[in-house]
Amino acid sequence: MLVSVKNVYKNYTLGKTTVPALRGINLSIQEGEFVSVAGASGSGKSTLLNLIGCLDKPSSGEVWVGERQVNLLSERELNSIRLKTIGFIFQAFNLISVLNVRENVELPLLIRKDISKKERAERVARFIEAVGLTAQARHKPAELSGGQRQRVAVARALVTHPKLVLADEPTANLDSKTGIEIIDLMQAINRENRTTFVFSTHDPKIMQRASVIYHIEDGVLKSELA
Amino acid sequence: MRLLSIALKNIAGNWWRSLSLGLFVFLTSFILIVFNSLFMTVTGNMQDALINSLTGHVQIRSEFTEEEDMLAMKTSWTELHFLSCSDLEGITAVLNSKRLDYTQRVRTNATLIKGVEQDYAMIIGHDPKEAHYRLAFGLEQGRYLSPSATGEVVLASYFAEQLQISVGETIQAVSEAGSVSLTVVGIGDVQMLSMFGYNAVFTDLESARVLAGYESGEATDVIVFVPESDQTKEVFTQLDAELQGVTLSVWEDMGGFVFNGISVYQGMGFIFILVLMVIVSILIINLVFMMGMERRQEIGTLKAIGYSRKDIIQIFLGEILIIAVAFCSLGIAAGSGLVLALSNIGFEFGPPIDFMMGKVFYIQYDFKLIFPMAAIVLLFTLVAALWPSWHAATLDPVKTLRD
């Protein structure tokens, strides 16, 4: 079991009002799965991904990544898990505008003291090639198309060899053809490296590509399809 | 070092913000160098005026005298204990053996009389060959004392006005011990000290001895000049060990209220630096805070991929340190260049500015200013940047990514 979410509730406080975002979520994700979290906007998809990604903590319940109950860990330990175990892909790409493709992909490795400069360079080159951007390695994000930017984000997420990649609406800012290409790329990497992918989407064409689909509605897990 | 590469890229990528921050640092360094040179020069000029006209670097006097009698206006110089001939023989033997520059002085009070006009004055008699007083006493009319003549006097302009006298005329100096006729050969003022009410009257030793009632060979004190002011303590220690039955003081202990005036200048300098640095710190805090706000998404992304607060603070402070070092160097170079260029130009001032600046002001540059000024600028910049950097590093990644 790579991820286990047990009876998780997450509430946000807006002034005097408490808004429940997740209500009693239970799910588990096996290593090597290609998982889609589907649901309408505001259903709680991003909140669930943030909890699994150790960016946020549940109001109650347990979140396990591998052997560790991450909702009990310190900020330092969570940083380490995000750095070594989890890769992130965002809807808005979230590339650093002043860095070129190579530098953006290299970003997570810069703070990994266990990886030499030579290995860093090799990994970066390998993943830029894997996403088909070798020719654009010195381009800044502003010089790339939306699809190319998301490929850079995929390479950045994978360069640390994470067990789990979380992608929050990775195709939402792309046209449908490019969106399918990105999902194909993620799926190919999933099959080739057995890297677990969990992505959120509300696009039926995209969610159909997943091996497991979780449907969320108003913070409640409605169905699980395989 | 790895994070510095990100910092460098951010500086280039956000060049407008970097330039704004750099401009603050540049102007601060520039202003600090120029104004400190100004304060340092004014303070140094005042110290020189005090040393050259009154105290020397080290004073040797009777052991029964007080430290600040040199400038104590309420103390009558007529009542001062003085050095005997034998004291002076011993003192001059030691000073000559050390090849030190010195002069004997006879200090006394006398009434200056011209016709029906008269005024009470503090008279300093010294060896007319002594040239240091010329560095401090700015002549408006006439000349300095002749090295070979006696019976001459150089007057402060205050007395010239009070007694309605001009160069070439004769005045009578009268004390309880005697009287002498003195020919006025020069009129002027001790630069900068005249604003403290110090109105100098310089004459030769023999004339002053008559007024003080001293025998030939007696003097009130001996003042010693050292080549560089920072050698004062060393010379003082050596002389203090060798000379018995006399009291020694350094100029800083004799300066009295004039030294307080110098302290006021130094205090003004410190306050100026402090106010400037507080203003700059507020501007830097604001600017770095804005940098953090503008880069919320970048900070959220970095935190999501595993960067710690410490890593993000390092990136921010790295950027600020690089900008600060670069622009501080430029500011110091530009400020130093300006001061060095101006140091050859004498600025002439009339009343009342000449009281503070001297009649002709040459700004001086001291290379020793570079490191303390650079350290102050860099320290304030980094300290000012610390809080907004920490604030940026503690942003909630969930909120920043959602924005």
Side-chain angles (χ1 to χ4, degrees):
Chain A
M1 191 80 67
L2 182 60
V3 176
S4 179
V5 177
K6 297 177 182 173
N7 199 26
V8 159
Y9 286 80
K10 178 67 185 177
N11 300 322
Y12 289 110
T13 306
L14 298 170
K16 290 178 180 174
T17 315
T18 301
V19 180
L22 295 177
R23 294 183 290 176
I25 298 281
N26 287 288
L27 63 81
S28 52
I29 298 167
Q30 305 294 330
E31 211 166 325
E33 282 186 336
F34 197 66
V35 180
S36 170
V37 179
S41 182
S43 58
K45 306 188 294 293
S46 297
T47 304
L48 180 60
L49 259 60
N50 286 340
L51 294 177
I52 297 171
C54 307
L55 290 171
D56 208 352
K57 289 190 174 180
S59 304
S60 65
E62 296 175 10
V63 179
W64 291 75
V65 175
E67 300 297 316
R68 310 187 76 179
Q69 189 178 346
V70 294
N71 58 304
L72 298 180
L73 298 181
S74 67
E75 190 183 322
R76 194 173 170 179
E77 290 168 315
L78 294 175
N79 283 339
S80 177
I81 288 182
R82 288 201 298 269
L83 184 63
K84 293 177 179 170
T85 310
I86 303 171
F88 285 91
I89 299 168
F90 303 98
Q91 177 182 335
F93 322 127
N94 288 36
L95 303 178
I96 309 297
S97 60
V98 297
L99 304 181
N100 63 28
V101 169
R102 191 183 60 75
E103 291 159 345
N104 263 293
V105 175
E106 190 183 27
L107 208 52
L109 299 182
L110 286 176
I111 49 171
R112 287 280 296 266
K113 289 175 183 161
D114 55 331
I115 295 174
S116 67
K117 192 175 177 181
K118 188 182 168 197
E119 190 186 345
R120 211 164 72 213
E122 283 171 1
R123 275 204 208 183
V124 170
R126 191 164 73 244
F127 280 98
I128 288 175
E129 190 184 357
V131 298
L133 289 174
T134 304
Q136 290 80 20
R138 293 192 177 279
H139 288 199
K140 295 271 175 69
E143 298 163 335
L144 302 174
S145 68
Q148 286 174 324
R149 289 182 206 182
Q150 200 59 300
R151 284 170 182 270
V152 179
V154 171
R156 183 180 66 189
L158 294 168
V159 78
T160 55
H161 294 167
K163 287 185 175 171
L164 173 67
V165 174
L166 298 170
D168 190 5
E169 304 250 15
T171 61
N173 278 7
L174 303 172
D175 60 69
S176 55
K177 182 172 172 272
T178 312
I180 296 289
E181 282 174 11
I182 291 294
I183 293 296
D184 285 345
L185 174 67
M186 286 162 50
Q187 204 162 21
I189 293 162
N190 165 255
R191 284 177 185 151
E192 200 174 312
N193 303 335
R194 286 195 51 78
T195 306
T196 309
F197 277 79
V198 179
F199 61 95
S200 64
T201 184
H202 55 262
D203 184 340
K205 284 184 194 167
I206 300 292
M207 72 181 79
Q208 281 169 10
R209 312 296 283 259
S211 56
V212 180
I213 305 170
Y214 290 103
H215 274 280
I216 293 187
E217 198 176 310
D218 295 331
V220 178
L221 196 62
K222 289 289 180 185
S223 62
E224 178 186 341
L225 302 171
Chain B
M1 283 304 290
R2 293 172 176 186
L3 298 183
L4 267 184
S5 64
I6 301 177
L8 278 168
K9 295 277 178 182
N10 277 328
I11 290 169
N14 301 297
W15 65 272
W16 183 244
R17 279 263 176 250
S18 307
L19 197 64
S20 304
L21 179 62
L23 202 62
F24 289 146
V25 176
F26 173 86
L27 286 174
T28 308
S29 315
F30 179 84
I31 291 169
L32 277 184
I33 284 287
V34 173
F35 276 78
N36 265 288
S37 298
L38 192 69
F39 282 120
M40 190 194 68
T41 307
V42 171
T43 306
N45 286 352
M46 193 175 269
Q47 288 174 358
D48 288 345
L50 181 68
I51 290 164
N52 289 321
S53 68
L54 264 177
T55 62
H57 289 100
V58 179
Q59 181 199 39
I60 305 162
R61 62 180 195 278
S62 163
E63 59 186 324
F64 304 110
T65 52
E66 297 297 323
E67 192 120 77
E68 291 187 2
D69 63 22
M70 186 75 84
L71 274 160
M73 296 296 186
K74 288 177 185 171
T75 305
S76 171
W77 279 1
T78 311
E79 296 164 6
L80 295 178
H81 285 267
F82 53 89
L83 298 166
S84 67
C85 287
S86 59
D87 287 336
L88 281 166
E89 280 171 15
I91 291 165
T92 52
V94 170
L95 297 177
N96 287 334
S97 71
K98 295 187 176 301
R99 297 172 182 268
L100 287 166
D101 188 6
Y102 68 93
T103 185
Q104 296 177 27
R105 285 201 162 179
V106 173
R107 290 183 286 133
T108 189
N109 298 109
T111 303
L112 302 178
I113 304 169
K114 166 76 182 356
V116 294
E117 306 293 341
Q118 62 178 48
D119 210 334
Y120 192 66
M122 298 161 85
I123 312 280
I124 294 178
H126 61 200
D127 186 343
K129 290 174 191 158
E130 197 280 304
H132 286 91
Y133 82 101
R134 299 181 182 195
L135 298 172
F137 193 92
L139 279 176
E140 289 173 10
Q141 297 173 42
R143 60 171 173 79
Y144 294 105
L145 297 172
S146 164
S148 55
T150 57
E152 292 183 345
V153 68
V154 172
L155 278 183
S157 56
Y158 167 81
F159 290 117
E161 285 170 23
Q162 293 295 313
L163 302 173
Q164 296 179 6
I165 197 166
S166 55
V167 170
E169 294 185 272
T170 302
I171 54 168
Q172 202 67 24
V174 180
S175 70
E176 288 177 7
S179 71
V180 288
S181 285
L182 300 169
T183 303
V184 178
V185 296
I187 294 170
D189 279 305
V190 175
Q191 290 189 20
M192 308 179 85
L193 297 193
S194 55
M195 71 173 160
F196 294 103
Y198 172 54
N199 296 306
V201 177
F202 291 107
T203 187
D204 60 273
L205 274 173
E206 289 311 315
S207 299
R209 278 183 180 128
V210 172
L211 293 169
Y214 292 178
E215 298 294 326
S216 179
E218 293 173 340
T220 318
D221 44 33
V222 176
I223 56 173
V224 182
F225 298 96
V226 298
E228 298 291 338
S229 287
D230 55 12
Q231 297 171 335
T232 303
K233 293 281 180 197
E234 183 189 337
V235 170
F236 170 84
T237 308
Q238 287 174 10
L239 293 177
D240 199 37
E242 290 190 38
L243 295 170
Q244 309 298 321
V246 290
T247 299
L248 283 83
S249 297
V250 293
W251 67 273
E252 287 147 306
D253 297 331
M254 291 183 281
F257 59 85
V258 174
F259 199 72
N260 293 339
I262 294 171
S263 302
V264 168
Y265 275 111
Q266 289 171 333
M268 282 164 62
F270 284 126
I271 290 168
F272 174 79
I273 291 173
L274 194 65
V275 170
L276 181 69
M277 294 317 300
V278 167
I279 293 169
V280 169
S281 297
I282 292 168
L283 291 171
I284 289 171
I285 287 170
N286 189 42
L287 202 66
V288 179
F289 194 82
M290 291 304 294
M291 280 165 69
M293 288 295 103
E294 283 174 359
R295 286 157 59 182
R296 282 171 64 85
Q297 200 186 51
E298 176 189 326
I299 293 162
T301 307
L302 290 175
K303 292 191 95 168
I305 62 178
Y307 277 61
S308 65
R309 269 188 284 194
K310 190 178 145 198
D311 295 327
I312 292 167
I313 289 172
Q314 276 181 4
I315 292 172
F316 267 74
L317 289 186
E319 282 178 51
I320 286 145
L321 189 64
I322 291 166
I323 293 168
V325 168
F327 282 87
C328 178
S329 305
L330 287 174
I332 284 175
S336 302
L338 180 71
V339 173
L340 284 170
L342 293 177
S343 63
N344 293 319
I345 302 168
F347 293 92
E348 292 186 18
F349 294 108
I353 300 174
D354 62 338
F355 280 130
M356 291 175 67
M357 309 292 281
K359 291 194 184 305
V360 183
F361 180 78
Y362 289 89
I363 194 166
Q364 289 170 11
Y365 182 71
D366 188 350
F367 284 96
K368 287 180 202 153
L369 275 177
I370 292 176
F371 292 107
M373 290 304 110
I376 287 171
V377 172
L378 295 179
L379 186 71
F380 268 81
T381 306
L382 277 182
V383 169
L386 206 56
W387 177 74
S389 301
W390 182 84
H391 180 268
T394 52
L395 287 172
D396 181 357
V398 174
K399 283 182 185 167
T400 56
L401 291 170
R402 195 163 52 211
D403 293 344

